[in-house]
Amino acid sequence: MADQAHAQRDGLAVDHHFENADQQYQSAKLGMWVFLGTEILFFGGLFVAYSVYRANHPEIFIFGHHFLDKNLGALNTVILICSSLTAAWAVRAAQLRQIGMLKLMILLTILCALGFMGVKSVEYNGKWKHGLLWAGQYDPHLEDHGETSHDIIGEEIAAEADAEIVTEEMVVEASPALPAADPDRSTIAPAAEGPAGLAVEDPAAAEDTGVEVEPANAQTYFSIYFLLTGLHGIHVLGGIGAFIWLLLCARRGDFDSGHFTRVDMVALYWHLVDLIWIYLFLLLYLI
Amino acid sequence: MSEHDSSVVHVSSVRLLLIVWVALMIGTWLTVSASNIDLGFLNIWVGLAIATAKALLVGLYYMHLRWDKPFNSFVFLGAFFFLLLFIGFAMMDSAHYQPNLIPGYSPGMGD
């Protein structure tokens, strides 16, 4: 290990199973691209869930996205694009052995990533306070909106409150109606005793307020929202860790020799995180 | 650059990095503005087109794919190909059974 570290400082570290430094670098890069491919497929399952639910129940997504702040989403997009710029610049600096510049760019990237997580935590906090959570935890209550900095537009709160009242009435009326479903279609007893499918959307009311009445299964939107942004957020945290590691490497002088493979690989990962966010911002915030 | 053959490794100029950054910013502004105009079913496709253009910029320039060995692009695009198959078949399947669902009746769901 010590020998290897020393050799890398001399710019001569080629493991014995590689022909030369270039082949070693290209292999690392190919491995990284394969990893990024698996990352796409990792997120892919959630994108499938999104596509299928949105295609079949667009009203849930239209309703849910009113509770996301487009401005905060756009701010996070801008932050991530800036961090991609600094990450790409860090690779350039490492290639040209501009160690001071490299450290500065890594630091800026970490700051952007922390900024992203900060904005994200403000958003999550708002959702948490209003009970806009996933699946069974979904329990919207917006009465305490005055205390929070998260700005949900006033009329939406009114619409949400109306929807809640409708929902409660429906629960009472709905229960006796349930056995009407054809028992021959399934032998499993109906578990859905909530307002599923019964909170009828009124297009006229929607036009008046500009906001839709809460559709059935609105929690699905928040489940998908939290899974997608949560998985992405975990990747951002991982990226912060990787950049801190790079900063330590740079301080130790690992990149003095023009060895930049590590910087390049971490930057590739970071660009992928940015790339996924570009789609998440569009698909979750800008419906 | 002792470790890397300079003919293989591409160093991006600061100018290029900044141009791509400006283009990405304009792209973000475009997506947000496009989402504010009601284009009906076209909205999502316009948004996806802009997002894909941004993704291409990031991939080609920031991720160096333009100067990389084409095989890396092939591997990456392969993942997207399989993702499209996954999404396509899942959507086709669910579209087929959707008409047979009984409204308000979802065994195994809830609670």
Side-chain angles (χ1 to χ4, degrees), chain B:
Chain B
M1 216 172 292
S2 56
E3 201 191 348
H4 302 284
D5 189 338
S6 55
S7 67
V8 176
V9 171
H10 175 265
V11 181
S12 309
S13 67
V14 171
R15 191 163 162 269
L16 178 72
L17 293 179
L18 289 175
I19 287 173
V20 172
W21 179 78
V22 169
L24 289 173
M25 285 300 178
I26 293 174
T28 305
W29 175 78
L30 262 181
T31 3
V32 176
S33 342
S35 78
N36 288 329
I37 308 165
D38 188 14
L39 302 168
F41 77 98
L42 272 178
N43 263 102
I44 182 71
W45 296 110
V46 169
L48 279 175
I50 300 170
T52 304
K54 285 165 76 186
L56 277 176
L57 281 178
V58 172
L60 284 175
Y61 295 98
Y62 280 178
M63 295 169 104
H64 285 98
L65 277 178
R66 191 180 159 185
W67 303 280
D68 247 6
K69 296 201 161 149
F71 191 65
N72 290 341
S73 306
F74 175 76
V75 167
F76 195 49
L77 289 177
F80 282 98
F81 171 72
F82 284 106
L83 178 60
L84 283 181
L85 279 187
F86 191 5
I87 292 179
F89 277 104
M91 284 179 75
M92 262 166 30
D93 180 50
S94 69
H96 273 285
Y97 66 66
Q98 203 64 24
N100 299 325
L101 296 183
I102 307 165
Y105 185 72
S106 43
M109 287 283 292
D111 238 26

Side-chain angles (χ1 to χ4, degrees), chain A:
Chain A
M1 241 351 251
D3 282 350
Q4 206 183 9
H6 178 72
Q8 266 172 355
R9 267 198 286 281
D10 296 332
L12 294 167
V14 179
D15 284 331
H16 65 90
H17 50 288
F18 290 112
E19 203 65 7
N20 52 42
D22 183 54
Q23 194 205 17
Q24 176 168 281
Y25 170 68
Q26 294 298 344
S27 305
K29 209 167 195 177
L30 176 60
M32 195 64 201
W33 278 107
V34 170
F35 169 67
L36 296 186
T38 66
E39 287 283 82
I40 294 293
L41 298 174
F42 187 12
F43 277 89
L46 293 172
F47 278 112
V48 168
Y50 177 95
S51 311
V52 168
Y53 275 103
R54 178 154 177 196
N56 291 317
H57 304 284
E59 74 282 357
I60 291 175
F61 290 80
I62 291 168
F63 172 79
H65 97 284
H66 288 302
F67 297 96
L68 298 196
D69 192 328
K70 213 182 248 196
N71 295 327
L72 288 182
L75 175 63
N76 258 350
T77 310
V78 168
I79 289 175
L80 271 197
I81 289 174
C82 290
S83 74
S84 255
L85 170 69
T86 56
W89 202 324
V91 173
R92 177 192 145 83
Q95 286 170 328
L96 299 176
R97 303 191 208 186
Q98 301 164 341
I99 303 303
M101 185 61 119
L102 170 65
K103 286 180 188 164
L104 174 68
M105 284 304 159
I106 293 175
L107 206 63
L108 285 176
T109 311
I110 294 174
L111 283 179
C112 284
L114 289 174
F116 178 90
M117 290 314 284
V119 173
K120 203 79 234 155
S121 66
V122 168
E123 290 190 83
Y124 274 7
N125 197 26
K127 303 281 168 304
W128 195 274
K129 276 191 179 152
H130 296 122
L132 297 167
L133 300 175
W134 51 88
Q137 304 297 314
Y138 179 74
D139 176 27
H141 47 86
L142 301 172
E143 65 279 3
D144 58 342
H145 63 90
E147 299 160 5
T148 152
S149 61
H150 187 72
D151 49 322
I152 289 179
I153 310 154
E155 64 206 44
E156 285 175 358
I157 293 159
E160 171 71 8
D162 289 347
E164 259 193 292
I165 294 162
V166 172
T167 308
E168 278 160 20
E169 286 167 1
M170 285 312 203
V171 176
V172 181
E173 292 166 16
S175 299
L178 271 170
D182 185 358
D184 295 338
R185 299 293 285 270
S186 170
T187 53
I188 307 167
E193 291 178 329
L198 294 166
V200 185
E201 227 177 295
D202 183 358
E207 268 172 45
D208 288 345
T209 58
V211 177
E212 300 75 7
V213 176
E214 179 177 349
N217 299 321
Q219 71 275 16
T220 305
Y221 174 81
F222 293 97
S223 300
I224 291 176
Y225 165 79
F226 275 104
L227 281 171
L228 273 170
T229 58
L231 184 62
H232 181 266
I234 290 170
H235 278 79
V236 172
L237 288 178
I240 293 174
F243 277 111
I244 289 173
W245 171 64
L246 282 186
L247 202 55
L248 295 176
C249 289
R251 279 173 65 102
R252 208 167 54 195
D254 287 4
F255 306 126
D256 295 354
S257 62
H259 165 80
F260 66 90
T261 309
R262 286 176 212 167
V263 185
D264 205 5
M265 299 305 118
V266 173
L268 281 179
Y269 168 81
W270 191 252
H271 294 313
L272 185 87
V273 173
D274 178 25
L275 207 146
I276 290 171
W277 179 259
I278 288 175
Y279 282 97
L280 286 189
F281 174 52
L282 170 76
L283 295 175
L284 293 171
Y285 291 76
L286 308 175
I287 292 175

